[in-house]
């Protein structure tokens, strides 16, 4: 089964509205001849509707970086899946390690957020990954198992049809330390077989597994060439359209 690669840019807490619109427009222009690769950018909540409107006629898709799992109500400062969808997003990043680390996100809140994304018709990108000390203690697979099985607990196959998994070793995020090709290959193969065990072979074959963590134009070709890698979640190197396009066009 062929999986269309997804190259997603996570803009984190960067760019004002006008700055985000300018980069998004530049990127959309640079992507006008791209085929067979999906490109997505995730600006801040404030910039999201502006960016969505500014590139709505282009192939570049929009994602949010987070959501709150309740539908609506007295939850000061939060944003729901329906609001994100209505603002023009198709994707939502869930359980990013920065949210787990700085905002106490747990596997159980991640699971609720995935549920709410699915109910609103957003495609969830579930982020998982081990810390440096967990890897040193040889707990990588144990941690990934828990993040996958608890994050996806209780869902049926039809609900997860648009799920994207993103393997992002915490020690490689924003550090310039990329996981080696062998490390990435080993984990992605493992995740592919975990999805088969937890769900089904078809599901495992159709689900995209992205790599994230210091992806840049220099290492993109090697990383994207790994068999079970179906794209990338890019932070720092997605902020500049000219740099990001060189990751998107890693094969050219
Ligand atoms: P990075 O971030 O590319 O800056 O390492 C990746 C991410 O956090 O998704």
């Amino acid at each position: 089964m062929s999986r269309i690669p997804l190259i997603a840019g996570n803009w984190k807490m960067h760019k004002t509205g006008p700055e985000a619109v300018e980069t998004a427009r530049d990127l959309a222009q640079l992507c006008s001849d791209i085929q067979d690769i999906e490109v997505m950018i995730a600006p801040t909540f404030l910039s999201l509707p502006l960016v969505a409107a500014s590139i709505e006629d282009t192939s570049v898709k929009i994602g949010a970086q987070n959501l709150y799992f309740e539908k609506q109500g007295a939850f000061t400062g939060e944003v729901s899946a329906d609001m994100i969808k209505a603002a023009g997003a198709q994707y939502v990043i869930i359980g990013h390690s920065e949210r787990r680390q700085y905002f106490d996100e747990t596997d159980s809140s991640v699971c609720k957020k995935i549920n709410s994304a699915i109910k609103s018709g957003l495609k969830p990108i579930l982020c998982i990954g081990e810390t440096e000390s967990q890897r040193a203690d040889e707990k990588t697979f144990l941690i990934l198992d828990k993040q996958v099985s608890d994050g996806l607990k209780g869902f049926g196959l039809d609900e997860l049809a648009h799920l994207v998994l993103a393997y992002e070793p915490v020690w490689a995020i924003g550090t310039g330390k990329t996981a080696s090709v062998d490390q990435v290959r080993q984990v992605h193969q493992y995740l592919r077989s975990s999805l088969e065990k937890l769900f089904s072979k078809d599901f495992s074959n159709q689900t995209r597994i992205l790599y994230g963590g210091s992806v840049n134009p220099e290492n993109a070709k090697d990383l994207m060439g790994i068999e079970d890698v179906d794209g990338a979640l890019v932070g720092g190197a997605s902020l500049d359209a000219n740099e990001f396009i060189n990751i998107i066009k890693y094969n050219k």
Side-chain angles (χ1 to χ4, degrees):
M1 193 174 293
S2 71
R3 299 179 293 266
I4 298 176
L6 170 63
I7 310 285
N10 173 8
W11 285 358
K12 307 191 180 183
M13 199 173 73
H14 291 284
K15 298 183 188 294
T16 62
E19 287 165 354
V21 165
E22 190 183 341
T23 309
R25 283 207 178 114
D26 290 347
L27 180 69
Q29 179 71 35
L30 292 167
C31 286
S32 56
D33 61 343
I34 298 280
Q35 278 170 350
D36 303 325
I37 292 184
E38 241 188 308
V39 178
M40 182 275 265
I41 45 178
T44 64
F45 283 138
L46 277 181
S47 299
L48 194 152
L50 302 172
V51 168
S54 74
I55 57 167
E56 71 179 337
D57 297 329
T58 75
S59 61
V60 176
K61 314 236 163 87
I62 309 288
Q65 301 171 17
N66 180 33
L67 57 72
Y68 188 55
F69 50 76
E70 294 288 353
K71 264 193 102 51
Q72 59 181 23
F75 304 103
T76 301
E78 295 299 322
V79 176
S80 75
D82 281 350
M83 294 169 188
I84 292 167
K85 183 88 198 312
Q90 294 185 21
Y91 285 93
V92 58
I93 299 169
I94 294 178
H96 189 279
S97 68
E98 285 151 17
R99 297 222 48 95
R100 294 179 191 256
Q101 201 177 335
Y102 306 129
F103 303 98
D104 297 328
E105 199 129 299
T106 62
D107 290 326
S108 97
S109 64
V110 163
C111 184
K112 288 184 192 163
K113 289 182 177 197
I114 291 184
N115 183 45
S116 142
I118 294 167
K119 294 255 154 62
S120 300
L122 288 169
K123 300 174 182 175
I125 302 179
L126 167 59
C127 298
I128 56 171
E130 81 288 0
T131 62
E132 192 152 35
S133 65
Q134 288 164 340
R135 179 165 276 270
D137 292 344
E138 298 186 358
K139 292 202 177 115
T140 298
F141 294 129
L142 205 74
I143 295 295
L144 297 175
D145 279 343
K146 183 169 166 7
Q147 290 173 335
V148 171
S149 58
D150 289 2
L152 301 180
K153 196 180 256 160
F155 294 110
L157 279 179
D158 48 337
E159 291 172 300
L160 297 180
H162 300 292
L163 174 80
V164 177
L165 208 55
Y167 169 56
E168 299 205 298
V170 179
W171 48 273
I173 295 179
T175 58
K177 270 200 251 174
T178 318
S180 72
V181 165
D182 281 345
Q183 286 170 326
V184 176
R185 181 185 295 115
Q186 195 192 24
V187 169
H188 279 239
Q189 257 173 15
Y190 181 82
L191 292 171
R192 186 80 62 207
S193 68
S194 302
L195 290 180
E196 182 176 337
K197 273 185 224 136
L198 283 172
F199 297 99
S200 76
K201 191 168 179 62
D202 279 354
F203 176 73
S204 161
N205 279 339
Q206 89 194 18
T207 301
R208 290 176 291 182
I209 309 178
L210 314 184
Y211 168 77
S214 298
V215 176
N216 60 43
E218 284 73 48
N219 60 29
K221 196 177 168 80
D222 285 347
L223 291 164
M224 297 305 109
I226 301 170
E227 195 185 331
D228 282 302
V229 173
D230 307 307
L233 185 51
V234 186
S238 71
L239 293 169
D240 180 285
N242 291 307
E243 191 175 1
F244 194 31
I245 194 69
N246 287 321
I247 296 177
I248 296 163
K249 293 190 174 175
Y250 62 87
N251 245 343
K252 300 268 153 39

